[in-house]
Amino acid sequence: MLEKTFDPKAVEPRLYAMWEASGAFAPIADPAAEPFSMVIPPPNITGSLHIGHALNNTLQDVLVRFQRMRGKAALWLPGTDHAGIATQMVVERQLAEAGNMSRRDMGRDAFIAKVWEWKAQSGGTIVNQLRRMGASCDWSRERFTLDDGLSAAVRKVFVTLHKQKLIYRDKRLVNWDPQFQTAISDIEVEQREVEGNYWHFAYPLEDGSGEIVVATTRPETMLGDTAVAVHPSDERYKALIGKCVRLPIVGRPIPIIADDYADPEKGSGAVKITPAHDFNDFQVGKRHKLPVINILDPQARLNENAPEEFRGLDRFVARKRVIEQFEALGLLRGVEKTRHAVPHGDRSGVVIEPYLTDQWYVDAKTLAQPAIKAVEDGRTVLEPANWEKTYYEWMRNIEPWCISRQLWWGHRIPAWYGPDGKIFVEETEEAAKSAAREHYGRDEPLRQDEDVLDTWFSSGLWPFSTLGWPEKTQDLARFYPTHTLITGFDIIFYWVARMMMMGLHFTGQVPFKRVFFNALVRDAQGAKMSKSKGNVMDPLELVDAYGADALRFTLTAMSGQARDIKLSTQRIEGYRNFGTKLWNAARFCQMNECIRTPGFDPGAVKQTLNRWIVGETVKAAKAVTQALETCAFDDATGALYRFIWNVFCDWHLELAKPILNGDDEAAKAETRATTAWVLDVALQLLHPVSPFLTEELWDKTAQFGHGREGMLMTTRWPDLPDAWIDPEAEAEIGWLVDLITEIRQVRAEMNVPPSARAPLTLSGAAPEAKQRLSRHRDLILSLGRLGSVAEAESPPAGAVPFVIGEATGALAIAQFVDLAAERARLGKEIGALAGDIDRTAKKLGNPDFVARAPEEVVEENRERLAEAENAKARLEAALKRLETVS
RNA sequence: GGGCGGCUAGCUCAGCUGGUUAGAGCGCCUGGUUUACACCCAGGAGGUCGGGGGUUCGAACCCCUCGCCGCCCACCA
């Protein structure tokens, strides 16, 4: 006998091991099978599973299990990302904590070795956590962005793009992170609103004829000013254009130039120009061929280009000193409080400086064009569709992508420099050497570029590099383009856009046909989960507490939210209970010997109840299938929940009880077989969402019933014919359900004790209802807890009436009736009907409605009005009788 | 400044291309030792669908507008 509840802890590891060992995670080899492929968004090796991963991977697993059961050659390809900055940070911190040498002290090779060591120890954490969620990835194909194959792909891509002039080296301002001392790309910069000040500084004219006032939020940058710009049509300054001001503190004369960039409306209308430390000023400087004076070192301390007293000072210290000096010089013209956005590094959290360096860039603008087109013409579909707008907006305004990073952990840039600075970009050092030999006519020492590539450069190749590209592998031929990508919208620019660009450029095909953006998980208050807020929910703790299936079901059910998911443990508990409900339904089947019957044909059952539940099962299977096909995950769980709990358990099993306990052996046998079949289908339909519970029940039911071959996981998804839906059975069971519900309502409202076996009479019933009444007499007696069922001309005096279709039911329970309560009950029902009649009559009385609304809507309202009037009349009559009797 | 999403029962959310009395889960209240399940069963209360205007025979749904809440992009004169 099954236990009363499912014990996930005992079962999950065993089942997962069984699945994995069976080889069923790998796509089936059958060449005729249609491929279905997905690549995992590779988690960082530094990561541990958070609830966002849990959601994202649950949805992927639901989808891949579903497609696998449909007979597809389903591949879910897993792997991890080396995560340049994040990993380097973690390892550096660990080294520091352990009192080791710093990265720079130990040197590049030693440090990299340490990172690999760390990866071997801790890098697999998240992968094993995915297993605990039940993820059915094909681990035999697991990849890592820094493994040999992927590294080769990265070099190939870099070299190819370089030869195509789509990768180039350039000296320009970059977003510089002084903490990590590396360039970062635009999207790694996070704007934060902060309180700040505008300082108004006076710059005296060189000829002593006056001054010009400029404003800044970054006073220290004035040390690098090389001009003051005014608008060419600004009357206030027209006369000053071409003159010079003497830059205070520094003493350098700098010109007053005319440029449209200066906005007469803002501040004084004059703006200081610091080409080396401001993106806009850099452009102005270019236009006017201004000197570019870099005043910062890589740690954002003032360098030798600043006056001596500032050298070596931190930028913020220097800022204070500059202000003090202006004040002392009597040139501070005012301070204004302001709230403004300041760029911060998304990883380091420090203020980013625009900084002039040589870096490698990808010509994203060119690569973006085919990627835009592919979405426009639907070769790749983004869902929900509103993300297309975001995608287009970004792609159409894309800037060159800075891909070099001054880090050690990552793909080293395959560029070598000759003694004269000549650059050789080749896939290997040997190739670079031979290119150099050809160029110089002799062997010259080469020096490889010190930098590594942005992590997203390698992740951008993920859908094809993981399948073996640039080799022409079978996997590549079979599984590329991948079918669906499920990921978070927070990385639409970082990742999705780059994969589109790279995939199209190098394979000529889109990397995936569909992208489904899942919601973001928040806590119960709607706040983004973060360690600092202390509101993180650890999915593994939730798995421990409720089981993986309950968490999976919850996440799947809540995934419909457009933007974010607020998770509460109550909800998980509720879905855990749902699993228990199904477990106990199986227990019921076991106790009642509902076991699989070989050769059972659901289309041939005779009993109304069985024809009905077969039809309901067909409908449920259709609903779940359609939902999963369209990534409507919440609809899928909704359909499963309602079918299993509210249809199968609440009604089918209850209605089956009298048959199973009765002595019509043929009916009993058929009902047993049908119930067992429904349970099997339910297990199959639920399996993608709740794999552990269902697989365990599949096994257990096989043990108490007929044995069966194989795992639930690899069974064929139910494809049931519509012909099994029987409208007559539907109507009949529907009527029965209504009748029983009415009886229960009356009993509950009249406080009739369960032990009281009330007699029921039915009057005014149509022949069809009479037949139903006699056919299901036993059922009605038991589920309604009735003493007898009879037909009558009219409801007996003192009985409590209710409406069931065209008929009036009446329960003879006078001894329990509180007249006032009954009067209130009937009064309320009559009132509701009156309201309905009033509304409907008014509608029908409106000639415009009758003339313009579709005929069927008008007809519907007519029927409705007639029914309501009829029901109201019957209840009023009953109420009157009640009052005369008393 | 530009864009996106949200505002529906005490809470968390469904409500597809406008058409009965707006639904679910949780919570709450009442009743229940009905041998599958108290992680349960039966029943109930609870909403002028953020405000205002419009289109329509008819609006939670379409349009305009305002108000909050959240996110993304741009902006450090």
Side-chain angles (χ1 to χ4, degrees), chain A residues 3-187:
Chain A
E3 300 299 310
K4 283 196 174 185
T5 55
F6 169 58
D7 179 10
K9 268 192 180 147
V11 167
E12 287 170 359
R14 174 169 51 82
L15 289 183
Y16 196 87
M18 173 184 85
W19 290 328
E20 193 170 359
S22 76
F25 291 167
I28 50 173
D30 180 2
E34 190 187 327
F36 174 88
S37 52
M38 288 191 302
V39 290
I40 200 170
N44 292 354
I45 46 167
T46 52
S48 60
L49 195 77
H50 59 63
I51 206 86
H53 293 123
L55 167 68
N56 175 249
N57 288 291
T58 294
L59 297 183
Q60 291 179 81
D61 195 48
V62 168
L63 205 54
V64 78
R65 283 179 184 271
F66 166 65
Q67 297 290 3
R68 191 182 290 125
M69 286 174 80
R70 299 185 93 197
K72 308 269 179 73
L75 169 63
W76 181 18
L77 196 155
T80 47
D81 193 290
H82 66 280
I85 292 185
T87 308
Q88 185 164 317
M89 241 167 91
V90 166
V91 177
E92 281 194 87
R93 193 164 51 223
Q94 281 198 351
L95 288 175
E97 277 166 12
N100 278 306
M101 280 188 287
S102 77
R103 161 168 76 98
R104 287 176 206 282
D105 290 338
M106 77 171 50
R108 185 167 190 140
D109 291 344
F111 178 75
I112 297 287
K114 280 277 177 211
V115 182
W116 279 108
E117 211 174 278
W118 176 88
K119 195 242 170 196
Q121 284 168 12
S122 316
T125 304
I126 194 158
V127 165
N128 290 320
Q129 291 172 329
L130 287 175
R131 285 180 161 90
R132 289 210 50 201
M133 292 296 302
S136 62
C137 305
D138 180 2
W139 298 109
S140 72
R141 286 176 166 85
E142 183 181 351
R143 302 304 298 261
F144 177 53
T145 46
L146 267 180
D147 68 27
D148 290 343
L150 269 60
S151 299
V154 164
R155 286 193 300 272
K156 172 105 182 162
V157 164
F158 188 98
V159 171
T160 307
L161 287 176
H162 181 258
K163 293 206 190 316
Q164 293 169 335
K165 307 228 183 311
L166 294 171
I167 280 182
Y168 54 90
R169 195 161 167 78
D170 198 9
K171 189 186 206 66
R172 59 163 78 189
L173 288 187
V174 291
N175 299 296
W176 185 264
D177 186 321
Q179 165 89 36
F180 295 127
Q181 299 177 50
T182 179
I184 58 177
S185 70
D186 297 345
I187 49 178

Side-chain angles (χ1 to χ4, degrees), chain A residues 353-404:
Chain A
E353 292 292 338
Y355 196 59
L356 191 65
T357 53
D358 288 303
Q359 303 287 345
W360 291 95
Y361 292 89
V362 168
D363 176 358
K365 190 107 206 157
T366 301
L367 292 177
Q369 302 316 310
I372 293 168
K373 204 153 179 302
V375 174
E376 281 172 345
D377 54 28
R379 276 174 289 149
T380 293
V381 176
L382 307 189
E383 289 176 16
N386 51 285
W387 289 110
E388 287 182 6
K389 194 162 182 171
T390 307
Y391 175 84
Y392 289 140
E393 183 61 23
W394 192 70
M395 285 295 235
R396 286 173 182 150
N397 298 297
I398 200 163
E399 294 289 321
W401 172 18
C402 175
I403 51 171
S404 39

Side-chain angles (χ1 to χ4, degrees), chain A residues 608 732 768 770-779:
Chain A
T608 311
E732 185 160 331
E768 196 179 41
K770 288 182 183 172
Q771 279 174 23
R772 288 169 177 169
L773 192 65
S774 70
R775 224 183 346 253
H776 301 293
R777 187 171 299 268
D778 290 351
L779 264 176

Side-chain angles (χ1 to χ4, degrees), chain A residues 403-421:
Chain A
I403 51 171
S404 39
R405 297 289 179 275
Q406 287 65 53
L407 305 171
W408 287 352
W409 177 243
H411 299 277
R412 193 150 172 192
I413 290 174
W416 283 263
Y417 300 84
D420 58 352

Side-chain angles (χ1 to χ4, degrees), chain A residues 777-803:
Chain A
R777 187 171 299 268
D778 290 351
L779 264 176
I780 296 165
L781 283 171
S782 78
L783 293 186
R785 310 188 65 73
L786 302 173
S788 63
V789 176
E791 286 161 39
E793 283 292 308
S794 60
V800 176
F802 59 88
V803 169

